[in-house]
Amino acid sequence: MEDYGSFEKVGALGQPLPTENVQTTTQAGDIVLYQGNQIVLFYGSNSWSYTRLGKVEDLTGWQEALGSGGITAVFSLDS
């Protein structure tokens, strides 16, 4: 994932996902889908049309973990 605009990390997905885009003002910790094929992790705020995927509730160390350059993020679903 690469830094974009000094408020989010953006990474391309291997395939598009279904969207339910809604005009949203994001906050730190929000995880959204952008244009159906990019996942975005916010450490700042932005207003755009996104599909909300989730939110990190405990932001302790969030911005430090995302850092200032590119990162690798791993997502998994618990059943």
Side-chain angles (χ1 to χ4, degrees), residues 20-73:
E20 292 183 16
N21 291 330
V22 175
Q23 185 67 30
T24 304
T25 299
T26 61
Q27 298 177 358
D30 285 341
I31 302 170
V32 301
L33 183 62
Y34 174 66
Q35 293 187 338
N37 64 358
Q38 297 176 65
I39 193 162
V40 183
L41 307 175
F42 282 92
Y43 59 91
S45 180
N46 191 30
S47 183
W48 203 262
S49 185
Y50 300 112
T51 298
R52 187 173 298 278
L53 298 176
K55 183 167 184 72
V56 174
E57 296 294 330
D58 182 358
L59 295 177
T60 304
W62 179 246
Q63 190 161 350
E64 292 80 13
L66 294 181
S68 60
I71 64 164
T72 299

